[in-house]
Amino acid sequence: MSLFQKALSVFSFGSLQIVLGKAISLVNFAILVRLLTTEEIGIVGLAGGYIAILSFLLVSPESILIRDFKKISSRINEYISSYLQFILVRNGILFLIAVPLAWYISSIQSDSRLSLYFILLVLATLLNGFTGPFRESFYGLYRQARITFVDVLMNIALLVSMAALFFSRDVITYGFLQVSIAFISVLWWYWNARKHLHFRYQPKWNLSLAFQSLKGFGIWNHLSGSVIRLVYQVDIVVLGFFVSLEALGNYSVALTIANVFFVFPQMVQKILSLSFSQIENK
C-alpha cells in the first residue's frame, strides 16, 4: 500500500470515527440535558473549562510518535513503557494541583457538587492519558481502523451506562460513569497493544526517553493543541465569575453543539504531519 493510500485510509476511518463519535456524544449530551438540571449542566460545562486550562500541564511525550515512529519502532516497547512511567508521575502532580483548584472553583459558585464533579472529571481525564501512547502507536502504523473501533465502542459503552442516570439523576453519578468508562478504556487499550502491537511493559524506570521526546516537536505540538482547546472553552471559565450556574448551563448547550464542527481540520493536519515524516525523497 502506497503512502497516499495509507493516508487516505487514515482519513477515511478518522472521518468515520468523528461522525460516529460526535453523533453518539450529541445523544449523550441530549440525555444529560433531559435528565439533569440546568445548574448541573452548568457544572459540567464549567468543570470542562477548567480542565482545558489544566490541559497545559498534560504534556504528552507520545506525540513524538507522529513524527518519529519509523525511527523508534524497533524500540517501541521501551518508549511506550517510558511514556507510561512519565504519565504516572505527571498524573500524580496534576492531581495534587487539582485538589486546591477544586476548592477554589467551589468558592466561585456556591454549589458543593461542583468541586466533587471537577475531581471526578480530573480522574477520568488522567486515566484517559494512559491510553495516549497506545493510541499514537497505532496511529504511527496507520492503523486508524483499530483506533476508530476502540473509541466508538467506548462511546457506545458510555451511552449504555447513561441508563444509570434514569435511576440517579445527579451530576455526581455522571462523573462516576465517566471515571468507570475511562478505567475500562485503559484496560482495553492495554489489551489491544499486547495483542496487535505485541507490547510488553519494561519495568525498568527510564524517564529520559520521555523527556527526550518532549524536546522540540513534542512540547510545541502539545502547546498548540492546548491553546486550541482553551480557545474553545475559556469563555465559559470567564463567564463563571459573573453569571449563575443556570446561565452557564444554557451557554454550555450552545457551546457543546458549536464545537462539534472544528475537528476535521485538526485531523487533516495530524495526518499530514505523520505522512510528511515518512517521505524518503526530500
Side-chain angles (χ1 to χ4, degrees), residues 3-279:
L3 184 61
F4 176 77
Q5 290 174 320
K6 289 180 180 179
L8 184 61
S9 175
V10 171
F11 179 79
S12 300
F13 281 106
S15 299
L16 179 64
Q17 177 187 353
I18 289 172
V19 172
L20 293 178
K22 291 299 181 181
I24 296 172
S25 296
L26 285 175
V27 173
N28 282 339
F29 192 69
I31 294 174
L32 282 181
V33 171
R34 290 292 183 181
L35 298 181
L36 300 183
T37 65
T38 308
E39 289 81 2
E40 288 175 314
I41 298 298
I43 289 174
V44 173
L46 186 57
Y50 277 94
I51 289 294
I53 295 176
L54 202 61
S55 68
F56 276 93
L57 301 178
L58 281 167
V59 286
S60 307
E62 67 269 13
S63 62
I64 195 67
L65 296 175
I66 302 173
R67 191 191 71 179
D68 293 348
F69 184 84
K70 193 173 182 179
K71 297 179 182 178
I72 64 180
S73 57
S74 60
R75 301 174 60 193
I76 194 63
N77 284 350
E78 190 177 350
Y79 272 87
I80 293 179
S81 298
S82 177
Y83 297 159
L84 292 175
Q85 293 162 4
F86 175 88
I87 291 169
L88 182 64
V89 175
R90 180 201 68 188
N91 285 359
I93 295 173
L94 284 176
F95 188 77
L96 293 177
I97 296 173
V99 172
L101 183 58
W103 175 84
Y104 170 74
I105 296 174
S106 65
S107 67
I108 299 173
Q109 297 284 348
S110 57
D111 193 318
S112 59
R113 294 172 299 177
L114 178 57
S115 57
L116 179 54
Y117 176 76
F118 175 72
I119 290 296
L120 291 173
L121 187 58
V122 168
L123 286 174
T125 302
L126 296 182
L127 281 172
N128 281 322
F130 283 106
T131 69
F134 306 130
R135 185 189 303 273
E136 298 300 342
S137 296
F138 277 105
Y139 196 87
L141 288 168
Y142 288 91
R143 298 190 64 175
Q144 179 67 37
R146 173 60 49 178
I147 300 173
T148 300
F149 175 72
V150 174
D151 282 354
V152 170
L153 211 58
M154 284 294 96
N155 285 332
I156 293 175
L158 179 59
L159 177 61
V160 173
S161 71
M162 297 279 282
L165 288 177
F166 284 93
F167 304 98
S168 177
R169 300 189 179 191
D170 188 81
V171 68
I172 303 304
T173 301
Y174 178 59
F176 278 112
L177 292 178
Q178 289 177 291
V179 173
S180 301
I181 295 300
F183 181 72
I184 294 172
S185 179
V186 172
L187 295 179
W188 200 30
W189 269 111
Y190 182 77
W191 180 85
N192 275 276
R194 286 183 63 88
K195 181 177 181 180
H196 299 285
L197 299 179
H198 308 293
F199 170 69
R200 295 295 181 271
Y201 178 72
Q202 308 294 314
K204 182 180 178 180
W205 278 74
N206 185 11
L207 293 177
S208 60
L209 290 179
F211 284 111
Q212 289 173 11
S213 298
L214 280 175
K215 293 180 180 178
F217 177 85
I219 190 66
W220 289 112
N221 184 69
H222 163 74
L223 289 176
S224 63
S226 298
V227 168
I228 291 173
R229 183 175 181 182
L230 183 63
V231 166
Y232 291 159
Q233 295 184 283
V234 70
D235 45 354
I236 199 168
V237 174
V238 176
L239 286 173
F241 290 100
F242 305 104
V243 302
S244 66
L245 285 174
E246 183 177 3
L248 287 175
N250 291 323
Y251 184 78
S252 295
V253 174
L255 184 66
T256 301
I257 296 174
N259 285 347
V260 168
F261 305 101
F262 292 102
V263 183
F264 280 98
Q266 297 174 44
M267 181 185 68
V268 173
Q269 178 203 13
K270 188 174 180 179
I271 294 171
L272 292 177
S273 298
L274 173 65
S275 299
F276 281 139
S277 70
Q278 299 196 24
I279 295 176

